[in-house]
Amino acid sequence: MVFTNDTEVALVSAVNLINTAPVGILPDGGVSGTEKLATMADLDAFVAAEQFTGSRQHTAAELAAVHQIRNELRAIWTAGEDPAVALVNGLLARANALPQLVRHDQWDWHLHATAPAAPLAQRMGVEAAMALVDVIRAKELQRLKVCAADDCQAVLIDLSKNRSRRYCDTGNCGNRAHVAAYRRRRLAKD
């Protein structure tokens, strides 16, 4: 394990949130890909899958706030150290984050830095920010990556020991790249 369990869970959850967005920018300024958090039902399913606890508003404003946090997290993923620190500190400051140890449901002691009644997007952002604090302090920002596939802009967290992970989990990017490389080698031999 590279980081503590709750940090790794929060980082994976942040990746999953970021990767719900359409990813590509088209020449006409539009976006390619599918918005995976388009409706309240989508958000409900995401919250359940990622096991976020606490209050919910179930409003369009809540969904819009989650989209905003998602954009901020993506910016952190691709930022250098100093800009990432400023963005993380901004997330924590806006939430008046006050870290404390909690234990609930099936989770043993872990950090929460917001009250259960805080808005969902704020809780999501602060949970990711707290995990990113560990990444930054450990000088491990290189573990925050964008998929190496030419046609993919999804993000990933590389938790491998040798920092060798290159492809996301959103599709078959790694398999497609390996098959394409195999075919190129085969053609070169013929």
Side-chain angles (χ1 to χ4, degrees):
M1 186 178 330
V2 177
F3 300 104
T4 61
N5 184 56
D6 59 322
T7 295
E8 288 188 7
V9 167
L11 291 168
V12 169
S13 186
V15 164
N16 292 341
L17 177 61
I18 295 167
N19 288 339
T20 64
V23 292
I25 304 296
L26 300 173
D28 65 2
V31 293
S32 66
T34 305
E35 171 62 67
K36 296 177 187 84
L37 287 182
T39 67
M40 192 56 59
D42 296 337
L43 181 57
D44 291 344
F46 180 83
V47 167
E50 297 299 323
Q51 300 180 349
F52 279 100
T53 59
S55 68
R56 292 283 313 281
Q57 296 172 345
H58 298 280
T59 63
E62 180 178 62
L63 182 59
V66 169
H67 287 174
Q68 178 59 37
I69 289 295
R70 177 179 70 187
N71 294 341
E72 290 181 55
L73 293 175
R74 180 163 188 101
I76 293 168
W77 230 257
T78 57
E81 185 175 71
D82 289 340
V85 167
L87 293 166
V88 166
N89 283 342
L91 281 170
L92 295 171
R94 282 196 320 269
N96 295 315
L98 180 62
Q100 48 195 300
L101 285 167
V102 295
R103 181 170 48 192
H104 59 86
D105 302 323
Q106 79 276 12
W107 301 100
D108 200 1
W109 291 111
H110 61 283
L111 284 174
H112 277 207
T114 58
L120 174 64
Q122 189 178 76
R123 292 191 320 271
M124 289 175 149
V126 168
E127 182 174 315
M130 293 294 294
L132 289 163
V133 164
D134 287 349
V135 172
I136 293 166
R137 289 176 57 222
K139 300 289 188 193
E140 293 286 358
L141 273 174
Q142 70 274 15
R143 291 184 180 277
L144 308 181
K145 299 180 179 181
V146 176
C147 183
D150 293 335
D151 61 342
C152 184
Q153 291 298 307
V155 300
L156 60 113
I157 177 72
D158 182 355
L159 297 174
S160 67
K161 287 183 181 181
N162 63 358
R163 296 171 187 83
S164 63
R165 186 164 171 216
R166 299 180 55 216
Y167 300 101
C168 70
D169 291 330
T170 63
N172 296 320
C173 295
N175 286 343
R176 286 185 294 116
H178 295 297
V179 168
Y182 171 77
R183 289 180 179 155
R184 282 192 302 273
R185 286 191 305 271
R186 291 287 307 242
L187 283 173
K189 284 183 177 182
D190 294 338

